[in-house]
DNA sequence: TGAGTGTACATAACAACGTTATGCAGCGGA
DNA sequence: TCCGCTGCATAACGTTGTTATGTACACTCA
């Protein structure tokens, strides 16, 4: 068998895309074998001939999500100011997570929706992210930028991987709390929390505050950033 | 009806506790009406007379989780060095999340396991954290410490709520990535990522690096911190 | 060219899940 | 004593993931 007949069969790909679409529209509850199959005009058997079961399909959805995520991060512009590039990548990161919040959560193994037992006893051992490889690929885009930041002499001689882990923790935590609604629905969280926070981290890493804020303006100018979103009252942490 | 007969009925409480125990042992998949009822020696009807359905029970589990989480944070020692107290609270935070990882994820609406449809059409609208109130209570412990840090003149005149949001993002993100296995299973992530990261944030907030590191040692001395855990090879970000 | 082989898929059935309907035992107040 | 209510067991229903079975089509080889 050649690689195109089985590996990239149209129904297989359409199932994954239908799953992503349904996931974002109806939430994880919508990820049902019958529903997805009907969505592409097939029977539930399509899920089993192409994936072997719902868990494997969801695994593939997460993998595809990480690929798109990686492309999103890679698409962040690359200039002569690596700190501005890092900040732009952070904005792209948040934009992806906000625009694909359900997918983002699924990617990090947080959703675990469809792993219902049904007829058989087997269940994916919960939370083991087999899509680690794709996740690390995406993570490496962060490492690359940080290596450039370091090589530009902005943060001393730190280990880029370790620093990337710190930056990733920062953005990941903010994004999840923002998605969960803890920072309100407008851009308040970005302006008041994530923005200052990433600046603080970079200053803590050794860059000068002036330089970081210059880079911030450069990144904001590149991304048509509506950071000063209209503020509406809401029930969240920053509101009191 | 008096408050003890309905509000804190033994079976109601035992169902919640059974759910927490099963959740941590078997993962979200184990949170089934039949299983939980059998666990306390009752029929599935107990779930419906006391909660009205699985979603409400899970909501109550999350609420109880936030209460325990709040008590855990409140239990962090209180000394004359507020930065050391903040760091100790961060350690307690991570300890709770690691020791109750499934519960922690459920608390933040990330798990969404039992919201299967079954007979009726209704489904909790996915991800809306009705247990916000308890979550904010826990969050306020963080705000309190940071107010003391600010009043001690260590971080300028920042808004304590905003700063708390930054610190929370930081720890939340790290803890979730660590739970997901991205930082290895030993304490490497703590020593290489979270520790330096929180120091960087505090330095970025205005404290001096020397003062933060003194506070770090103080906090580590209080908590019998085995930060230098034995390093085993593993497949994760920091390993290459 | 025709029989054999295998894959992709539809149909139908099964076990397990959440939920609801029904019924019964026990209680308290009139 | 009788009524009504509450707490719960039993049994049934609809929906889920999954599996079994059968079939149509494509491809291979003689």
């Amino acid at each position: 068998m050649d690689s195109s007949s089985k590996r990239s069969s149209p129904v297989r790909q359409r199932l994954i895309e239908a799953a992503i679409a349904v996931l974002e529209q109806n939430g994880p509850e919508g990820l049902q074998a019958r529903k997805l199959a009907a969505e592409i005009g097939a029977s539930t058997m399509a899920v089993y001939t192409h994936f072997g079961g719902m868990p494997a399909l969801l695994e593939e959805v997460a993998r595809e999500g990480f690929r798109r995520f990686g492309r999103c991060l890679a698409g962040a512009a690359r200039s002569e100011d690596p700190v501005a590039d890092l900040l732009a990548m952070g904005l792209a990161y948040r934009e992806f997570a906000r625009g694909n919040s359900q997918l983002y959560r699924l990617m990090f193994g947080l959703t675990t929706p469809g792993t219902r037992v049904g007829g058989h006893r087997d269940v994916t051992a919960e939370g083991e992210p087999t899509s680690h490889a794709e996740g690390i690929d995406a993570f490496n885009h962060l490492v690359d930028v940080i290596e450039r930041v370091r090589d530009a002499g902005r943060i001393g001689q730190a280990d880029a991987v370790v620093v990337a882990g710190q930056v990733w923790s920062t953005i990941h935590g903010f994004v999840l709390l923002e998605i969960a609604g803890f920072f309100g629905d407008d851009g308040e969280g970005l302006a008041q929390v994530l923005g200052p926070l990433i600046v603080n981290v970079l200053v803590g890493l050794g860059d000068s505050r002036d330089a970081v804020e210059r880079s911030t303006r450069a990144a904001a100018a590149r991304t048509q950033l509506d950071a000063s979103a209209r503020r509406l009252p809401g029930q969240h942490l920053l509101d009191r």
Side-chain angles (χ1 to χ4, degrees), chain A residues 27-29 31-32 66 102 105 108-117 123 126-127 129 132 136 139-140 143 161-162 165-166 168-170 172-174 176-177 180-183 192-193 196-197 200-201 203-205 209 235-238 240:
Chain A
E29 325 297 337
L31 293 178
Q32 303 162 359
F66 271 117
Q102 301 286 2
R105 287 159 46 155
F108 287 94
L110 303 172
T111 292
T112 54
T115 357
R116 268 296 178 274
V117 279
V123 170
E126 162 51 31
H132 252 175
I136 291 182
F139 175 74
N140 280 335
V143 177
V161 174
V162 166
Q166 297 182 21
W168 193 18
S169 295
T170 299
H172 183 61
F174 169 80
L176 284 177
L177 291 177
F182 282 100
F183 292 146
Q192 298 192 41
V193 178
L197 173 54
N200 286 335
V201 169
V203 170
L205 284 166
R209 189 170 297 272
Q235 172 73 11
H236 57 272
L237 296 181
L238 306 179
R240 50 185 206 176

Coordinates of all heavy atoms in Angstrom, one line a residue, chain A residues 27-29 31-32 66 102 105 108-117 123 126-127 129 132 136 139-140 143 161-162 165-166 168-170 172-174 176-177 180-183 192-193 196-197 200-201 203-205 209 235-238 240:
Chain A
G27 N -18.3 22.0 22.1 CA -17.6 21.6 23.2 C -17.3 20.1 23.2 O -17.7 19.4 22.2
P28 N -16.5 19.6 24.1 CA -16.1 18.2 24.1 C -17.2 17.2 24.1 O -17.1 16.1 23.6 CB -15.3 18.1 25.4 CG -15.1 19.4 26.0 CD -16.1 20.3 25.3
E29 N -18.4 17.7 24.6 CA -19.5 16.8 24.6 C -20.0 16.4 23.2 O -20.6 15.3 23.0 CB -20.7 17.4 25.4 CG -20.3 18.3 26.5 CD -19.6 17.6 27.6 OE1 -19.8 16.3 27.7 OE2 -18.9 18.2 28.4
L31 N -18.1 15.5 20.8 CA -17.2 14.6 20.2 C -17.7 13.2 20.3 O -17.2 12.4 21.2 CB -15.8 14.7 20.8 CG -15.1 16.1 20.5 CD1 -13.7 16.1 21.1 CD2 -14.9 16.2 19.0
Q32 N -18.7 12.8 19.5 CA -19.3 11.5 19.6 C -19.1 10.8 18.3 O -19.2 11.4 17.2 CB -20.7 11.6 19.9 CG -21.0 12.3 21.2 CD -22.4 12.8 21.4 OE1 -23.2 12.6 20.4 NE2 -22.7 13.4 22.5
F66 N -1.7 20.5 17.8 CA -0.3 21.0 18.0 C 0.4 21.4 16.8 O 1.2 22.3 16.8 CB 0.5 19.9 18.7 CG 0.4 19.9 20.2 CD1 -0.2 18.9 20.9 CD2 0.9 21.0 20.9 CE1 -0.3 18.9 22.3 CE2 0.8 21.0 22.3 CZ 0.2 20.0 23.0
Q102 N -11.2 25.3 23.0 CA -11.6 23.9 23.3 C -10.4 23.0 22.8 O -10.0 22.1 23.5 CB -12.9 23.5 22.6 CG -14.1 24.4 23.1 CD -14.5 24.0 24.5 OE1 -13.9 23.1 25.1 NE2 -15.6 24.6 24.9
R105 N -7.4 23.2 25.1 CA -7.5 22.4 26.3 C -7.3 20.9 26.0 O -6.7 20.1 26.7 CB -8.8 22.7 26.9 CG -8.8 24.0 27.6 CD -10.2 24.6 27.9 NE -11.1 23.6 28.4 CZ -12.1 24.0 29.1 NH1 -12.4 25.2 29.4 NH2 -12.9 23.1 29.6
F108 N -3.7 19.8 25.6 CA -2.9 19.5 26.8 C -3.5 18.5 27.7 O -3.3 18.4 28.9 CB -2.8 20.9 27.6 CG -1.8 21.8 26.9 CD1 -2.2 22.7 26.0 CD2 -0.4 21.6 27.1 CE1 -1.3 23.6 25.3 CE2 0.5 22.5 26.4 CZ 0.0 23.4 25.6
G109 N -4.3 17.6 27.1 CA -4.9 16.5 27.8 C -5.8 16.9 28.9 O -6.0 16.1 29.8
L110 N -6.3 18.1 28.9 CA -7.1 18.5 30.0 C -8.6 18.2 29.9 O -9.3 18.1 30.8 CB -7.0 20.0 30.1 CG -5.5 20.5 30.3 CD1 -5.4 22.0 30.2 CD2 -5.0 20.0 31.6
T111 N -9.0 17.9 28.7 CA -10.4 17.7 28.4 C -10.9 16.3 28.7 O -11.8 16.1 29.5 CB -10.8 18.1 27.0 OG1 -10.6 19.5 26.9 CG2 -12.2 17.8 26.7
T112 N -10.2 15.3 28.2 CA -10.6 13.9 28.4 C -12.1 13.7 28.2 O -12.7 13.3 29.2 CB -10.1 13.4 29.7 OG1 -10.7 14.3 30.7 CG2 -8.7 13.3 29.8
P113 N -12.6 14.0 27.1 CA -14.1 13.9 27.0 C -14.6 12.6 26.6 O -15.4 12.0 27.3 CB -14.4 14.9 25.9 CG -13.1 15.0 25.1 CD -12.0 14.3 25.8
G114 N -14.1 12.0 25.5 CA -14.7 10.9 24.8 C -14.3 9.6 25.3 O -14.6 8.5 24.8
T115 N -13.4 9.6 26.3 CA -12.8 8.3 26.7 C -13.8 7.5 27.5 O -13.4 6.8 28.5 CB -11.6 8.6 27.6 OG1 -11.4 10.0 27.6 CG2 -10.4 7.9 26.9
R116 N -15.0 7.5 27.2 CA -16.0 6.7 27.8 C -15.8 5.2 27.5 O -15.3 4.9 26.4 CB -17.4 7.1 27.4 CG -18.1 8.1 28.3 CD -18.3 7.5 29.6 NE -18.8 8.5 30.6 CZ -18.1 9.3 31.3 NH1 -16.8 9.3 31.1 NH2 -18.6 10.2 32.1
V117 N -16.2 4.4 28.4 CA -15.9 3.0 28.2 C -16.7 2.3 27.2 O -16.2 1.6 26.3 CB -16.0 2.2 29.6 CG1 -14.8 2.5 30.4 CG2 -17.3 2.7 30.3
V123 N -9.3 2.1 28.5 CA -9.4 3.5 28.7 C -8.0 4.1 28.6 O -7.1 3.6 29.3 CB -10.1 3.9 30.0 CG1 -10.0 5.4 30.2 CG2 -11.6 3.4 30.0
E126 N -5.6 8.2 31.0 CA -5.9 9.6 31.6 C -4.7 10.5 31.7 O -3.9 10.4 32.5 CB -6.6 9.4 32.9 CG -6.6 10.7 33.8 CD -7.1 11.8 33.0 OE1 -8.0 11.6 32.1 OE2 -6.7 12.9 33.2
G127 N -4.7 11.4 30.8 CA -3.7 12.5 31.0 C -2.3 12.2 30.4 O -1.5 13.1 30.5
P129 N 0.0 12.5 27.7 CA 0.0 13.2 26.5 C 0.9 12.5 25.4 O 2.0 12.8 25.4 CB 0.5 14.6 26.8 CG 1.2 14.4 28.1 CD 0.9 13.0 28.7
H132 N 3.1 14.3 22.8 CA 4.2 15.1 23.3 C 5.1 15.6 22.2 O 5.6 16.7 22.2 CB 5.0 14.2 24.3 CG 4.8 14.6 25.7 ND1 5.3 14.0 26.8 CD2 4.2 15.7 26.3 CE1 5.0 14.6 27.9 NE2 4.3 15.6 27.6
I136 N 6.3 19.3 21.7 CA 7.7 19.7 21.9 C 8.2 20.5 20.6 O 8.9 21.5 20.7 CB 8.6 18.5 22.2 CG1 8.3 18.0 23.6 CG2 10.1 18.9 22.0 CD1 9.2 16.8 24.0
F139 N 6.9 23.8 21.1 CA 7.7 24.5 22.2 C 9.1 24.9 21.6 O 9.6 26.0 22.1 CB 7.9 23.4 23.3 CG 8.8 23.9 24.4 CD1 8.4 24.8 25.3 CD2 10.1 23.4 24.5 CE1 9.2 25.2 26.4 CE2 11.0 23.7 25.5 CZ 10.5 24.7 26.5
N140 N 9.6 24.2 20.7 CA 10.9 24.6 20.2 C 10.9 26.0 19.5 O 12.0 26.6 19.4 CB 11.5 23.5 19.2 CG 12.0 22.4 20.0 OD1 12.5 22.5 21.2 ND2 12.0 21.2 19.4
V143 N 11.8 28.2 22.1 CA 13.2 28.0 22.4 C 14.1 28.8 21.4 O 15.0 29.5 21.8 CB 13.7 26.5 22.5 CG1 15.2 26.4 22.7 CG2 12.9 25.8 23.5
V161 N 16.4 26.5 27.0 CA 15.3 25.6 27.3 C 14.7 25.9 28.6 O 13.4 25.9 28.7 CB 15.8 24.1 27.2 CG1 14.7 23.2 27.6 CG2 16.4 23.8 25.8
V162 N 15.5 26.1 29.6 CA 14.9 26.4 30.9 C 14.1 27.7 30.9 O 13.0 27.8 31.4 CB 16.1 26.5 32.0 CG1 15.6 27.2 33.3 CG2 16.6 25.1 32.2
G165 N 10.9 27.2 29.3 CA 10.0 26.6 30.2 C 9.3 27.6 31.1 O 8.2 27.5 31.4
Q166 N 10.1 28.5 31.5 CA 9.5 29.6 32.4 C 8.5 30.4 31.6 O 7.4 30.7 32.1 CB 10.7 30.5 32.9 CG 11.7 29.7 33.8 CD 12.7 30.6 34.4 OE1 12.6 31.8 34.4 NE2 13.8 30.0 34.8
W168 N 6.9 29.6 29.0 CA 5.8 28.8 28.6 C 4.8 28.7 29.8 O 3.6 28.8 29.7 CB 6.2 27.4 28.1 CG 5.2 26.6 27.5 CD1 4.0 27.1 27.0 CD2 5.2 25.2 27.2 NE1 3.2 26.1 26.4 CE2 3.9 24.9 26.6 CE3 6.1 24.2 27.5 CZ2 3.6 23.6 26.2 CZ3 5.7 22.9 27.1 CH2 4.5 22.6 26.5
S169 N 5.4 28.4 31.0 CA 4.5 28.3 32.2 C 3.7 29.6 32.3 O 2.5 29.6 32.6 CB 5.4 28.1 33.4 OG 6.1 26.9 33.4
T170 N 4.4 30.7 32.2 CA 3.8 32.0 32.3 C 2.5 32.2 31.4 O 1.4 32.4 31.9 CB 4.8 33.1 32.0 OG1 5.9 33.0 33.0 CG2 4.1 34.5 32.2
H172 N 1.0 29.9 29.5 CA 0.1 28.8 29.6 C -0.9 29.1 30.7 O -2.1 28.9 30.6 CB 0.8 27.5 29.8 CG 0.0 26.3 29.8 ND1 -0.8 25.9 28.8 CD2 -0.2 25.3 30.8 CE1 -1.5 24.8 29.1 NE2 -1.1 24.4 30.3
G173 N -0.3 29.4 31.9 CA -1.2 29.7 33.0 C -2.1 30.8 32.8 O -3.3 30.7 33.1
F174 N -1.6 31.9 32.3 CA -2.5 33.1 32.0 C -3.6 32.7 31.1 O -4.8 33.0 31.3 CB -1.7 34.2 31.4 CG -2.5 35.3 30.9 CD1 -3.1 36.2 31.8 CD2 -2.8 35.4 29.6 CE1 -3.9 37.2 31.3 CE2 -3.7 36.4 29.1 CZ -4.2 37.3 30.0
L176 N -4.9 29.9 30.3 CA -6.0 29.0 30.8 C -6.9 29.7 31.8 O -8.1 29.5 31.8 CB -5.3 27.8 31.5 CG -4.8 26.7 30.5 CD1 -4.1 25.6 31.2 CD2 -5.9 26.2 29.6
L177 N -6.3 30.6 32.6 CA -7.1 31.3 33.5 C -8.0 32.3 32.8 O -9.2 32.5 33.1 CB -6.3 32.1 34.6 CG -5.6 31.2 35.6 CD1 -4.7 32.0 36.5 CD2 -6.6 30.4 36.4
A180 N -10.8 30.4 31.2 CA -11.8 30.0 32.3 C -12.6 31.2 32.8 O -13.6 31.0 33.5 CB -11.0 29.3 33.4
G181 N -12.3 32.3 32.4 CA -13.1 33.5 32.7 C -12.6 34.3 33.9 O -13.3 35.2 34.4
F182 N -11.5 33.9 34.5 CA -11.0 34.5 35.7 C -10.5 35.9 35.5 O -10.4 36.7 36.5 CB -9.9 33.7 36.4 CG -10.4 32.5 37.1 CD1 -10.4 31.2 36.6 CD2 -11.0 32.6 38.4 CE1 -10.9 30.1 37.2 CE2 -11.5 31.5 39.1 CZ -11.4 30.2 38.5
F183 N -10.2 36.3 34.3 CA -9.7 37.6 34.1 C -10.7 38.4 33.2 O -10.3 39.5 32.7 CB -8.4 37.5 33.4 CG -7.3 37.0 34.2 CD1 -6.3 36.2 33.7 CD2 -7.3 37.2 35.6 CE1 -5.3 35.7 34.5 CE2 -6.3 36.7 36.4 CZ -5.3 35.9 35.8
Q192 N -3.5 44.1 31.8 CA -3.1 44.2 33.2 C -2.3 43.1 33.8 O -1.6 43.3 34.7 CB -4.4 44.4 34.0 CG -5.3 45.6 33.7 CD -6.4 45.8 34.7 OE1 -6.1 45.7 35.9 NE2 -7.6 46.1 34.2
V193 N -2.4 41.9 33.2 CA -1.8 40.8 33.8 C -0.7 40.2 32.9 O 0.5 40.3 33.2 CB -2.8 39.7 34.1 CG1 -2.0 38.5 34.7 CG2 -3.8 40.2 35.1
P196 N 2.2 43.1 31.6 CA 3.2 43.4 32.7 C 3.9 42.2 33.2 O 5.1 42.3 33.5 CB 2.3 44.0 33.8 CG 1.0 44.4 33.1 CD 0.9 43.6 32.0
L197 N 3.3 41.0 33.2 CA 3.9 39.8 33.7 C 5.1 39.4 32.9 O 6.2 39.2 33.4 CB 2.9 38.7 33.8 CG 3.5 37.3 34.2 CD1 4.3 37.4 35.5 CD2 2.4 36.3 34.3
N200 N 7.9 41.7 33.4 CA 8.5 41.5 34.7 C 9.5 40.3 34.5 O 10.6 40.3 35.1 CB 7.5 41.2 35.8 CG 6.8 42.5 36.2 OD1 7.4 43.6 36.1 ND2 5.6 42.4 36.8
V201 N 9.0 39.2 33.9 CA 9.9 38.1 33.7 C 11.1 38.4 33.0 O 12.2 38.0 33.3 CB 9.1 36.9 33.0 CG1 10.0 35.8 32.6 CG2 8.0 36.4 33.9
V203 N 12.5 41.3 32.6 CA 13.4 42.2 33.5 C 14.1 41.3 34.5 O 15.3 41.4 34.8 CB 12.6 43.3 34.2 CG1 13.4 44.0 35.3 CG2 12.1 44.3 33.2
G204 N 13.3 40.3 35.1 CA 14.0 39.4 36.1 C 15.0 38.6 35.4 O 16.0 38.2 36.1
L205 N 14.9 38.3 34.1 CA 15.9 37.5 33.4 C 17.2 38.3 33.1 O 18.1 37.8 32.6 CB 15.3 36.9 32.2 CG 14.4 35.7 32.4 CD1 13.6 35.4 31.1 CD2 15.2 34.5 32.8
R209 N 14.4 47.4 31.9 CA 13.0 47.6 31.7 C 12.7 48.5 30.5 O 11.8 48.4 29.7 CB 12.4 48.3 33.0 CG 10.9 48.4 32.9 CD 10.4 48.8 34.3 NE 10.6 47.8 35.3 CZ 9.8 46.8 35.6 NH1 8.7 46.7 34.9 NH2 10.1 45.9 36.5
Q235 N -17.8 40.0 36.3 CA -17.5 39.4 37.6 C -16.2 38.5 37.5 O -16.3 37.4 37.2 CB -18.7 38.5 38.0 CG -18.5 37.6 39.2 CD -18.6 38.4 40.5 OE1 -19.0 39.6 40.5 NE2 -18.1 37.8 41.6
H236 N -15.1 39.2 37.8 CA -13.9 38.4 37.8 C -12.9 39.1 38.7 O -13.2 40.0 39.4 CB -13.4 38.3 36.4 CG -13.2 39.7 35.7 ND1 -14.1 40.3 35.0 CD2 -12.1 40.5 35.7 CE1 -13.7 41.5 34.6 NE2 -12.4 41.6 35.0
L237 N -11.7 38.5 38.7 CA -10.7 38.9 39.7 C -10.3 40.3 39.7 O -10.2 41.0 40.7 CB -9.5 38.0 39.5 CG -9.6 36.6 39.7 CD1 -8.3 35.8 39.5 CD2 -10.2 36.3 41.1
L238 N -10.2 40.9 38.5 CA -9.6 42.2 38.4 C -10.7 43.3 38.7 O -10.4 44.5 38.6 CB -9.0 42.5 37.0 CG -8.0 41.4 36.6 CD1 -7.5 41.7 35.2 CD2 -6.9 41.4 37.6
R240 N -13.0 44.9 41.1 CA -13.5 45.2 42.5 C -13.0 46.5 43.0 O -12.7 47.4 42.3 CB -13.1 44.0 43.4 CG -11.6 43.7 43.4 CD -11.4 42.5 44.3 NE -10.1 42.3 44.7 CZ -9.7 41.4 45.6 NH1 -10.6 40.6 46.1 NH2 -8.5 41.4 46.0

